Short mmCIF file of all heavy atoms in Angstrom, two decimals:
data_model
loop_
_atom_site.label_atom_id
_atom_site.label_comp_id
_atom_site.label_asym_id
_atom_site.label_seq_id
_atom_site.Cartn_x
_atom_site.Cartn_y
_atom_site.Cartn_z
N MET A 1 -8.99 -1.62 -5.29
CA MET A 1 -7.64 -1.37 -5.81
C MET A 1 -7.70 -0.18 -6.79
O MET A 1 -8.58 -0.08 -7.61
CB MET A 1 -7.13 -2.62 -6.52
CG MET A 1 -5.64 -2.63 -6.71
SD MET A 1 -4.71 -2.46 -5.16
CE MET A 1 -4.77 -4.18 -4.60
N THR A 2 -6.76 0.70 -6.64
CA THR A 2 -6.75 1.88 -7.49
C THR A 2 -5.76 1.70 -8.63
O THR A 2 -4.65 1.23 -8.43
CB THR A 2 -6.32 3.11 -6.67
OG1 THR A 2 -7.08 3.13 -5.48
CG2 THR A 2 -6.59 4.38 -7.45
N LYS A 3 -6.18 2.07 -9.81
CA LYS A 3 -5.26 2.07 -10.94
C LYS A 3 -4.69 3.47 -11.09
O LYS A 3 -5.42 4.44 -11.10
CB LYS A 3 -5.98 1.67 -12.22
CG LYS A 3 -6.25 0.20 -12.32
CD LYS A 3 -6.83 -0.13 -13.67
CE LYS A 3 -7.17 -1.60 -13.74
NZ LYS A 3 -7.82 -1.94 -15.01
N THR A 4 -3.39 3.55 -11.17
CA THR A 4 -2.76 4.85 -11.30
C THR A 4 -2.08 4.96 -12.66
O THR A 4 -1.27 4.13 -13.02
CB THR A 4 -1.71 5.05 -10.19
OG1 THR A 4 -2.31 4.75 -8.96
CG2 THR A 4 -1.21 6.48 -10.19
N VAL A 5 -2.44 5.97 -13.38
CA VAL A 5 -1.80 6.21 -14.67
C VAL A 5 -1.10 7.55 -14.59
O VAL A 5 -1.70 8.56 -14.26
CB VAL A 5 -2.82 6.23 -15.82
CG1 VAL A 5 -2.13 6.52 -17.15
CG2 VAL A 5 -3.57 4.92 -15.88
N THR A 6 0.18 7.53 -14.82
CA THR A 6 0.93 8.77 -14.78
C THR A 6 1.51 9.06 -16.15
O THR A 6 1.90 8.16 -16.87
CB THR A 6 2.07 8.72 -13.75
OG1 THR A 6 2.88 7.58 -14.03
CG2 THR A 6 1.53 8.63 -12.35
N THR A 7 1.48 10.30 -16.49
CA THR A 7 2.05 10.73 -17.77
C THR A 7 3.12 11.75 -17.46
O THR A 7 2.91 12.66 -16.67
CB THR A 7 0.97 11.39 -18.65
OG1 THR A 7 -0.10 10.48 -18.79
CG2 THR A 7 1.53 11.75 -20.01
N ARG A 8 4.27 11.56 -18.05
CA ARG A 8 5.27 12.56 -17.82
C ARG A 8 6.17 12.70 -19.04
O ARG A 8 6.20 11.82 -19.91
CB ARG A 8 6.11 12.27 -16.57
CG ARG A 8 6.77 10.91 -16.56
CD ARG A 8 7.59 10.76 -15.31
NE ARG A 8 8.90 10.20 -15.64
CZ ARG A 8 9.74 9.72 -14.74
NH1 ARG A 8 9.45 9.77 -13.48
NH2 ARG A 8 10.91 9.23 -15.10
N ILE A 9 6.85 13.81 -19.09
CA ILE A 9 7.70 14.10 -20.24
C ILE A 9 9.14 13.73 -19.88
O ILE A 9 9.67 14.16 -18.86
CB ILE A 9 7.64 15.60 -20.59
CG1 ILE A 9 6.19 16.08 -20.67
CG2 ILE A 9 8.39 15.87 -21.89
CD1 ILE A 9 5.39 15.48 -21.80
N ASN A 10 9.73 12.95 -20.73
CA ASN A 10 11.11 12.55 -20.51
C ASN A 10 12.05 13.69 -20.89
O ASN A 10 11.67 14.66 -21.54
CB ASN A 10 11.41 11.32 -21.36
CG ASN A 10 12.34 10.36 -20.64
OD1 ASN A 10 12.87 10.70 -19.58
ND2 ASN A 10 12.53 9.20 -21.20
N ASP A 11 13.29 13.57 -20.46
CA ASP A 11 14.27 14.61 -20.75
C ASP A 11 14.46 14.82 -22.26
O ASP A 11 14.68 15.93 -22.71
CB ASP A 11 15.62 14.26 -20.12
CG ASP A 11 15.59 14.48 -18.61
OD1 ASP A 11 14.74 15.26 -18.15
OD2 ASP A 11 16.40 13.86 -17.92
N ASP A 12 14.37 13.75 -23.01
CA ASP A 12 14.58 13.88 -24.46
C ASP A 12 13.30 14.26 -25.19
O ASP A 12 13.26 14.25 -26.41
CB ASP A 12 15.17 12.59 -25.02
CG ASP A 12 14.26 11.41 -24.76
OD1 ASP A 12 13.14 11.63 -24.29
OD2 ASP A 12 14.68 10.27 -25.04
N GLY A 13 12.28 14.61 -24.45
CA GLY A 13 11.06 15.09 -25.08
C GLY A 13 10.07 14.00 -25.42
O GLY A 13 8.96 14.28 -25.83
N LEU A 14 10.46 12.79 -25.25
CA LEU A 14 9.53 11.70 -25.54
C LEU A 14 8.46 11.63 -24.48
O LEU A 14 8.74 11.74 -23.29
CB LEU A 14 10.27 10.36 -25.60
CG LEU A 14 11.06 10.09 -26.87
CD1 LEU A 14 11.77 8.74 -26.74
CD2 LEU A 14 10.15 10.06 -28.08
N ARG A 15 7.26 11.45 -24.91
CA ARG A 15 6.16 11.38 -23.97
C ARG A 15 5.79 9.92 -23.79
O ARG A 15 5.62 9.18 -24.75
CB ARG A 15 4.97 12.16 -24.57
CG ARG A 15 3.87 12.45 -23.59
CD ARG A 15 3.01 13.58 -24.19
NE ARG A 15 1.84 13.82 -23.36
CZ ARG A 15 0.69 13.14 -23.49
NH1 ARG A 15 0.58 12.20 -24.39
NH2 ARG A 15 -0.33 13.42 -22.71
N TYR A 16 5.70 9.53 -22.58
CA TYR A 16 5.31 8.14 -22.37
C TYR A 16 4.45 8.03 -21.13
O TYR A 16 4.47 8.89 -20.26
CB TYR A 16 6.54 7.23 -22.26
CG TYR A 16 7.37 7.45 -21.02
CD1 TYR A 16 7.13 6.68 -19.88
CD2 TYR A 16 8.36 8.42 -20.98
CE1 TYR A 16 7.87 6.88 -18.74
CE2 TYR A 16 9.10 8.63 -19.84
CZ TYR A 16 8.85 7.86 -18.72
OH TYR A 16 9.58 8.06 -17.59
N ARG A 17 3.71 6.98 -21.09
CA ARG A 17 2.83 6.76 -19.95
C ARG A 17 3.28 5.51 -19.23
O ARG A 17 3.64 4.52 -19.86
CB ARG A 17 1.39 6.57 -20.43
CG ARG A 17 0.90 7.72 -21.24
CD ARG A 17 -0.42 7.37 -21.88
NE ARG A 17 -1.52 7.57 -20.94
CZ ARG A 17 -2.68 6.95 -21.02
NH1 ARG A 17 -2.89 6.07 -21.96
NH2 ARG A 17 -3.64 7.20 -20.16
N SER A 18 3.26 5.61 -17.97
CA SER A 18 3.54 4.40 -17.21
C SER A 18 2.32 4.06 -16.39
O SER A 18 1.72 4.92 -15.75
CB SER A 18 4.77 4.59 -16.32
OG SER A 18 4.52 5.60 -15.38
N LYS A 19 1.94 2.85 -16.46
CA LYS A 19 0.73 2.41 -15.79
C LYS A 19 1.13 1.54 -14.62
O LYS A 19 1.88 0.59 -14.79
CB LYS A 19 -0.11 1.63 -16.78
CG LYS A 19 -1.53 1.42 -16.35
CD LYS A 19 -2.23 0.67 -17.47
CE LYS A 19 -3.73 0.71 -17.28
NZ LYS A 19 -4.39 0.02 -18.41
N THR A 20 0.66 1.87 -13.49
CA THR A 20 0.98 1.07 -12.31
C THR A 20 -0.30 0.41 -11.82
O THR A 20 -1.24 1.09 -11.44
CB THR A 20 1.56 1.94 -11.20
OG1 THR A 20 2.60 2.74 -11.75
CG2 THR A 20 2.14 1.07 -10.09
N VAL A 21 -0.32 -0.88 -11.86
CA VAL A 21 -1.49 -1.61 -11.39
C VAL A 21 -1.11 -2.40 -10.16
O VAL A 21 -0.11 -3.11 -10.16
CB VAL A 21 -2.02 -2.56 -12.48
CG1 VAL A 21 -3.24 -3.32 -11.97
CG2 VAL A 21 -2.37 -1.77 -13.73
N GLY A 22 -1.85 -2.23 -9.11
CA GLY A 22 -1.61 -3.03 -7.91
C GLY A 22 -0.65 -2.39 -6.95
O GLY A 22 -0.45 -2.90 -5.87
N SER A 23 -0.05 -1.26 -7.31
CA SER A 23 0.81 -0.57 -6.36
C SER A 23 0.51 0.92 -6.39
O SER A 23 1.28 1.70 -6.94
CB SER A 23 2.28 -0.83 -6.65
OG SER A 23 2.59 -0.44 -7.95
N PRO A 24 -0.66 1.27 -5.87
CA PRO A 24 -1.07 2.68 -5.91
C PRO A 24 -0.21 3.58 -5.04
O PRO A 24 -0.33 4.79 -5.10
CB PRO A 24 -2.51 2.65 -5.40
CG PRO A 24 -2.57 1.41 -4.57
CD PRO A 24 -1.65 0.43 -5.22
N PHE A 25 0.69 2.99 -4.27
CA PHE A 25 1.50 3.80 -3.37
C PHE A 25 2.96 3.81 -3.80
O PHE A 25 3.86 3.81 -3.00
CB PHE A 25 1.37 3.30 -1.94
CG PHE A 25 0.01 3.58 -1.36
CD1 PHE A 25 -1.01 2.66 -1.48
CD2 PHE A 25 -0.24 4.79 -0.73
CE1 PHE A 25 -2.27 2.93 -0.98
CE2 PHE A 25 -1.50 5.06 -0.22
CZ PHE A 25 -2.52 4.13 -0.34
N ALA A 26 3.17 3.79 -5.11
CA ALA A 26 4.54 3.76 -5.61
C ALA A 26 5.34 4.94 -5.09
O ALA A 26 6.54 4.84 -4.89
CB ALA A 26 4.54 3.76 -7.13
N SER A 27 4.68 6.07 -4.87
CA SER A 27 5.40 7.23 -4.38
C SER A 27 5.56 7.20 -2.87
O SER A 27 6.29 7.98 -2.30
CB SER A 27 4.67 8.50 -4.80
OG SER A 27 3.37 8.50 -4.27
N LYS A 28 4.84 6.31 -2.23
CA LYS A 28 4.99 6.13 -0.79
C LYS A 28 5.48 4.71 -0.56
O LYS A 28 4.73 3.84 -0.13
CB LYS A 28 3.65 6.33 -0.08
CG LYS A 28 3.07 7.71 -0.25
CD LYS A 28 1.77 7.77 0.52
CE LYS A 28 0.95 8.98 0.12
NZ LYS A 28 -0.40 8.89 0.68
N ALA A 29 6.73 4.51 -0.87
CA ALA A 29 7.27 3.16 -0.90
C ALA A 29 7.21 2.45 0.43
O ALA A 29 7.36 1.24 0.49
CB ALA A 29 8.70 3.19 -1.41
N ASN A 30 6.98 3.19 1.49
CA ASN A 30 7.05 2.56 2.81
C ASN A 30 5.77 1.85 3.23
O ASN A 30 5.76 1.20 4.25
CB ASN A 30 7.40 3.61 3.87
CG ASN A 30 8.90 3.85 3.91
OD1 ASN A 30 9.67 2.99 3.48
ND2 ASN A 30 9.31 4.99 4.39
N THR A 31 4.71 2.00 2.47
CA THR A 31 3.48 1.37 2.89
C THR A 31 3.45 -0.09 2.48
O THR A 31 4.00 -0.48 1.46
CB THR A 31 2.24 2.07 2.32
OG1 THR A 31 2.33 2.05 0.90
CG2 THR A 31 2.14 3.49 2.82
N ARG A 32 2.83 -0.87 3.30
CA ARG A 32 2.62 -2.28 2.99
C ARG A 32 1.16 -2.58 3.21
O ARG A 32 0.50 -1.97 4.03
CB ARG A 32 3.47 -3.16 3.91
CG ARG A 32 4.95 -3.03 3.63
CD ARG A 32 5.71 -4.14 4.27
NE ARG A 32 5.19 -5.44 3.84
CZ ARG A 32 5.65 -6.61 4.30
NH1 ARG A 32 6.57 -6.62 5.20
NH2 ARG A 32 5.15 -7.74 3.88
N SER A 33 0.67 -3.55 2.48
CA SER A 33 -0.73 -3.87 2.66
C SER A 33 -0.89 -4.88 3.78
O SER A 33 -0.08 -5.78 3.95
CB SER A 33 -1.33 -4.40 1.36
OG SER A 33 -0.61 -5.50 0.90
N CYS A 34 -1.94 -4.67 4.52
CA CYS A 34 -2.25 -5.55 5.63
C CYS A 34 -2.63 -6.93 5.10
O CYS A 34 -3.38 -7.04 4.13
CB CYS A 34 -3.40 -4.96 6.44
SG CYS A 34 -4.11 -6.10 7.62
N PHE A 35 -2.12 -7.95 5.74
CA PHE A 35 -2.41 -9.32 5.30
C PHE A 35 -3.88 -9.65 5.45
O PHE A 35 -4.45 -10.40 4.65
CB PHE A 35 -1.57 -10.31 6.11
CG PHE A 35 -1.79 -11.74 5.74
CD1 PHE A 35 -1.25 -12.24 4.56
CD2 PHE A 35 -2.52 -12.57 6.55
CE1 PHE A 35 -1.46 -13.56 4.20
CE2 PHE A 35 -2.74 -13.90 6.20
CZ PHE A 35 -2.20 -14.40 5.03
N LYS A 36 -4.51 -9.08 6.47
CA LYS A 36 -5.91 -9.43 6.74
C LYS A 36 -6.90 -8.61 5.94
O LYS A 36 -7.79 -9.13 5.30
CB LYS A 36 -6.20 -9.27 8.23
CG LYS A 36 -5.68 -10.42 9.06
CD LYS A 36 -6.19 -10.28 10.49
CE LYS A 36 -5.74 -11.44 11.35
NZ LYS A 36 -6.09 -11.20 12.77
N CYS A 37 -6.78 -7.27 6.00
CA CYS A 37 -7.80 -6.44 5.36
C CYS A 37 -7.32 -5.88 4.02
O CYS A 37 -8.12 -5.35 3.27
CB CYS A 37 -8.23 -5.31 6.29
SG CYS A 37 -6.95 -4.08 6.59
N GLY A 38 -6.04 -5.98 3.72
CA GLY A 38 -5.55 -5.56 2.42
C GLY A 38 -5.33 -4.07 2.28
O GLY A 38 -4.94 -3.60 1.21
N LYS A 39 -5.58 -3.30 3.35
CA LYS A 39 -5.38 -1.86 3.28
C LYS A 39 -3.91 -1.52 3.42
O LYS A 39 -3.17 -2.22 4.10
CB LYS A 39 -6.19 -1.17 4.37
CG LYS A 39 -7.67 -1.23 4.06
CD LYS A 39 -8.48 -0.44 5.06
CE LYS A 39 -9.94 -0.46 4.66
NZ LYS A 39 -10.83 -0.56 5.81
N HIS A 40 -3.51 -0.43 2.77
CA HIS A 40 -2.11 -0.05 2.83
C HIS A 40 -1.84 0.75 4.10
O HIS A 40 -2.54 1.70 4.39
CB HIS A 40 -1.73 0.77 1.59
CG HIS A 40 -1.61 -0.10 0.38
ND1 HIS A 40 -0.42 -0.43 -0.19
CD2 HIS A 40 -2.56 -0.73 -0.34
CE1 HIS A 40 -0.63 -1.24 -1.21
NE2 HIS A 40 -1.94 -1.42 -1.34
N ARG A 41 -0.82 0.32 4.82
CA ARG A 41 -0.49 0.94 6.10
C ARG A 41 0.99 1.30 6.13
O ARG A 41 1.81 0.66 5.51
CB ARG A 41 -0.76 -0.05 7.24
CG ARG A 41 -2.18 -0.57 7.30
CD ARG A 41 -3.17 0.52 7.44
NE ARG A 41 -4.51 0.01 7.77
CZ ARG A 41 -5.61 0.73 7.66
NH1 ARG A 41 -5.56 1.96 7.20
NH2 ARG A 41 -6.77 0.24 7.99
N THR A 42 1.28 2.32 6.94
CA THR A 42 2.67 2.67 7.16
C THR A 42 3.24 1.75 8.24
O THR A 42 2.47 1.14 8.99
CB THR A 42 2.79 4.15 7.59
OG1 THR A 42 1.96 4.35 8.71
CG2 THR A 42 2.37 5.07 6.46
N PRO A 43 4.55 1.65 8.33
CA PRO A 43 5.15 0.70 9.28
C PRO A 43 4.66 0.87 10.72
O PRO A 43 4.51 -0.11 11.44
CB PRO A 43 6.65 0.99 9.17
CG PRO A 43 6.82 1.51 7.79
CD PRO A 43 5.56 2.30 7.50
N ASP A 44 4.41 2.11 11.14
CA ASP A 44 3.97 2.29 12.53
C ASP A 44 2.52 1.89 12.73
O ASP A 44 2.04 1.87 13.86
CB ASP A 44 4.22 3.74 12.98
CG ASP A 44 3.41 4.73 12.17
OD1 ASP A 44 3.49 4.65 10.93
OD2 ASP A 44 2.71 5.57 12.74
N GLN A 45 1.84 1.59 11.66
CA GLN A 45 0.45 1.12 11.78
C GLN A 45 0.37 -0.39 11.64
O GLN A 45 -0.71 -0.95 11.60
CB GLN A 45 -0.42 1.79 10.71
CG GLN A 45 -0.54 3.29 10.88
CD GLN A 45 -1.23 3.94 9.70
OE1 GLN A 45 -1.16 3.45 8.58
NE2 GLN A 45 -1.88 5.06 9.94
N LEU A 46 1.54 -1.00 11.53
CA LEU A 46 1.56 -2.45 11.30
C LEU A 46 2.29 -3.18 12.41
O LEU A 46 3.16 -2.64 13.06
CB LEU A 46 2.26 -2.75 9.97
CG LEU A 46 1.50 -2.39 8.70
CD1 LEU A 46 2.46 -2.37 7.52
CD2 LEU A 46 0.38 -3.36 8.44
N GLN A 47 1.94 -4.43 12.58
CA GLN A 47 2.67 -5.31 13.48
C GLN A 47 2.81 -6.64 12.75
O GLN A 47 1.99 -7.00 11.91
CB GLN A 47 1.89 -5.48 14.78
CG GLN A 47 0.51 -6.11 14.55
CD GLN A 47 -0.29 -6.20 15.82
OE1 GLN A 47 0.25 -6.38 16.88
NE2 GLN A 47 -1.62 -6.08 15.70
N SER A 48 3.86 -7.35 13.10
CA SER A 48 4.03 -8.66 12.47
C SER A 48 3.36 -9.71 13.33
O SER A 48 3.43 -9.68 14.55
CB SER A 48 5.51 -8.98 12.28
OG SER A 48 6.18 -8.91 13.53
N LYS A 49 2.68 -10.59 12.66
CA LYS A 49 1.98 -11.68 13.36
C LYS A 49 2.27 -12.98 12.66
O LYS A 49 2.39 -13.03 11.44
CB LYS A 49 0.47 -11.42 13.33
CG LYS A 49 -0.01 -10.61 14.50
CD LYS A 49 -1.46 -10.93 14.82
CE LYS A 49 -1.88 -10.25 16.11
NZ LYS A 49 -3.30 -10.30 16.33
N LYS A 50 2.35 -14.00 13.43
CA LYS A 50 2.59 -15.31 12.85
C LYS A 50 1.24 -15.92 12.49
O LYS A 50 0.38 -16.14 13.33
CB LYS A 50 3.31 -16.20 13.87
CG LYS A 50 4.04 -17.32 13.22
CD LYS A 50 5.51 -17.29 13.58
CE LYS A 50 6.20 -18.47 12.89
NZ LYS A 50 7.63 -18.35 12.81
N LEU A 51 1.07 -16.11 11.19
CA LEU A 51 -0.20 -16.65 10.71
C LEU A 51 0.10 -17.81 9.77
O LEU A 51 0.89 -17.66 8.83
CB LEU A 51 -0.98 -15.58 9.95
CG LEU A 51 -1.45 -14.38 10.79
CD1 LEU A 51 -1.89 -13.25 9.89
CD2 LEU A 51 -2.61 -14.80 11.69
N LEU A 52 -0.51 -18.93 10.04
CA LEU A 52 -0.33 -20.11 9.19
C LEU A 52 1.15 -20.43 8.99
O LEU A 52 1.59 -20.78 7.91
CB LEU A 52 -1.00 -19.88 7.83
CG LEU A 52 -2.48 -19.47 7.88
CD1 LEU A 52 -2.99 -19.12 6.50
CD2 LEU A 52 -3.33 -20.60 8.46
N GLY A 53 1.91 -20.24 10.06
CA GLY A 53 3.32 -20.59 10.00
C GLY A 53 4.21 -19.57 9.33
O GLY A 53 5.40 -19.75 9.21
N LYS A 54 3.61 -18.45 8.87
CA LYS A 54 4.40 -17.41 8.24
C LYS A 54 4.22 -16.11 9.00
O LYS A 54 3.18 -15.89 9.61
CB LYS A 54 3.95 -17.19 6.78
CG LYS A 54 4.38 -18.32 5.87
CD LYS A 54 3.69 -18.21 4.54
CE LYS A 54 4.12 -16.96 3.79
NZ LYS A 54 3.41 -16.84 2.49
N THR A 55 5.21 -15.25 8.93
CA THR A 55 5.09 -13.95 9.57
C THR A 55 4.48 -12.98 8.57
O THR A 55 5.02 -12.78 7.49
CB THR A 55 6.46 -13.45 10.04
OG1 THR A 55 7.03 -14.42 10.91
CG2 THR A 55 6.32 -12.13 10.77
N GLU A 56 3.33 -12.45 8.92
CA GLU A 56 2.63 -11.52 8.04
C GLU A 56 2.43 -10.18 8.75
O GLU A 56 2.38 -10.12 9.96
CB GLU A 56 1.25 -12.07 7.65
CG GLU A 56 1.29 -13.46 7.05
CD GLU A 56 1.79 -13.46 5.63
OE1 GLU A 56 2.12 -12.38 5.10
OE2 GLU A 56 1.86 -14.56 5.04
N MET A 57 2.31 -9.12 7.98
CA MET A 57 2.07 -7.81 8.55
C MET A 57 0.57 -7.55 8.60
O MET A 57 -0.14 -7.70 7.60
CB MET A 57 2.74 -6.72 7.68
CG MET A 57 4.24 -6.89 7.54
SD MET A 57 5.13 -7.00 9.11
CE MET A 57 5.03 -5.29 9.64
N VAL A 58 0.11 -7.18 9.79
CA VAL A 58 -1.31 -6.86 9.96
C VAL A 58 -1.43 -5.55 10.73
O VAL A 58 -0.49 -5.10 11.37
CB VAL A 58 -2.07 -7.99 10.72
CG1 VAL A 58 -2.05 -9.29 9.92
CG2 VAL A 58 -1.48 -8.19 12.10
N CYS A 59 -2.62 -4.95 10.67
CA CYS A 59 -2.86 -3.67 11.32
C CYS A 59 -2.62 -3.76 12.83
O CYS A 59 -2.83 -4.80 13.44
CB CYS A 59 -4.29 -3.22 11.08
SG CYS A 59 -4.69 -2.97 9.36
N LYS A 60 -2.20 -2.65 13.39
CA LYS A 60 -1.96 -2.55 14.84
C LYS A 60 -2.88 -1.49 15.41
O LYS A 60 -2.93 -0.39 14.85
CB LYS A 60 -0.49 -2.19 15.06
CG LYS A 60 -0.06 -2.10 16.50
CD LYS A 60 1.44 -1.92 16.62
CE LYS A 60 1.87 -0.55 16.17
NZ LYS A 60 3.32 -0.34 16.29
N PRO A 61 -3.60 -1.70 16.48
CA PRO A 61 -3.64 -2.95 17.25
C PRO A 61 -4.49 -4.03 16.60
O PRO A 61 -4.30 -5.21 16.87
CB PRO A 61 -4.24 -2.51 18.58
CG PRO A 61 -5.09 -1.34 18.24
CD PRO A 61 -4.38 -0.64 17.11
N SER A 62 -5.39 -3.64 15.73
CA SER A 62 -6.15 -4.62 14.96
C SER A 62 -6.76 -3.87 13.78
O SER A 62 -6.84 -2.65 13.77
CB SER A 62 -7.26 -5.25 15.79
OG SER A 62 -8.29 -4.31 16.02
N CYS A 63 -7.18 -4.62 12.77
CA CYS A 63 -7.76 -4.00 11.58
C CYS A 63 -8.93 -3.08 11.97
O CYS A 63 -9.03 -1.95 11.52
CB CYS A 63 -8.27 -5.07 10.62
SG CYS A 63 -6.96 -6.06 9.91
N LYS A 64 -9.81 -3.61 12.82
CA LYS A 64 -11.01 -2.87 13.19
C LYS A 64 -10.66 -1.60 13.95
O LYS A 64 -11.16 -0.52 13.65
CB LYS A 64 -11.89 -3.79 14.05
CG LYS A 64 -13.26 -3.23 14.36
CD LYS A 64 -14.13 -4.32 14.94
CE LYS A 64 -15.46 -3.79 15.43
NZ LYS A 64 -15.37 -3.06 16.70
N GLU A 65 -9.78 -1.74 14.95
CA GLU A 65 -9.44 -0.58 15.77
C GLU A 65 -8.69 0.48 14.97
O GLU A 65 -8.92 1.68 15.14
CB GLU A 65 -8.61 -1.02 16.98
CG GLU A 65 -9.45 -1.69 18.05
CD GLU A 65 -8.58 -2.23 19.18
OE1 GLU A 65 -7.98 -1.42 19.89
OE2 GLU A 65 -8.50 -3.46 19.32
N LEU A 66 -7.82 0.05 14.08
CA LEU A 66 -7.07 1.02 13.29
C LEU A 66 -8.00 1.73 12.30
O LEU A 66 -7.93 2.94 12.12
CB LEU A 66 -5.93 0.32 12.54
CG LEU A 66 -5.02 1.26 11.76
CD1 LEU A 66 -4.41 2.33 12.66
CD2 LEU A 66 -3.91 0.47 11.07
N ALA A 67 -8.91 0.98 11.70
CA ALA A 67 -9.86 1.58 10.77
C ALA A 67 -10.72 2.63 11.48
O ALA A 67 -10.98 3.71 10.95
CB ALA A 67 -10.75 0.50 10.15
N GLU A 68 -11.13 2.31 12.71
CA GLU A 68 -11.92 3.26 13.48
C GLU A 68 -11.09 4.49 13.84
O GLU A 68 -11.56 5.62 13.77
CB GLU A 68 -12.46 2.58 14.74
CG GLU A 68 -13.67 1.71 14.45
CD GLU A 68 -14.09 0.87 15.66
OE1 GLU A 68 -13.48 1.04 16.73
OE2 GLU A 68 -15.01 0.06 15.51
N ALA A 69 -9.83 4.25 14.23
CA ALA A 69 -8.96 5.36 14.61
C ALA A 69 -8.71 6.29 13.42
O ALA A 69 -8.55 7.50 13.60
CB ALA A 69 -7.64 4.81 15.14
N LEU A 70 -8.68 5.72 12.23
CA LEU A 70 -8.43 6.53 11.03
C LEU A 70 -9.72 7.04 10.40
O LEU A 70 -9.70 7.73 9.39
CB LEU A 70 -7.67 5.69 9.99
CG LEU A 70 -6.26 5.25 10.41
CD1 LEU A 70 -5.68 4.29 9.38
CD2 LEU A 70 -5.34 6.43 10.59
N GLY A 71 -10.84 6.68 10.99
CA GLY A 71 -12.11 7.14 10.47
C GLY A 71 -12.50 6.49 9.16
O GLY A 71 -13.17 7.08 8.32
N GLU A 72 -12.10 5.25 8.97
CA GLU A 72 -12.43 4.55 7.72
C GLU A 72 -13.77 3.83 7.83
O GLU A 72 -14.12 3.36 8.90
CB GLU A 72 -11.33 3.55 7.38
CG GLU A 72 -10.05 4.23 6.96
CD GLU A 72 -8.93 3.20 6.72
OE1 GLU A 72 -9.04 2.06 7.19
OE2 GLU A 72 -7.95 3.59 6.09
ZN1 ZN B 1 -5.76 -4.79 8.46
#
């Protein structure tokens, strides 16, 4: 998990830091983490699967194949 710390200057000149923990893709709001491997994927890299009675998003076609396709 990546910790992202961003610093930016507000319009009124106040300097503040915002720390985002657990959502390293705040700027890429469309990614979701895979239920199985936990990696962040875009919607076209995900498929919904019924697991333990719930619908979860997992890599498409599978975690292993997608990781290989992406060179991970
Ligand atoms: Zn996966």
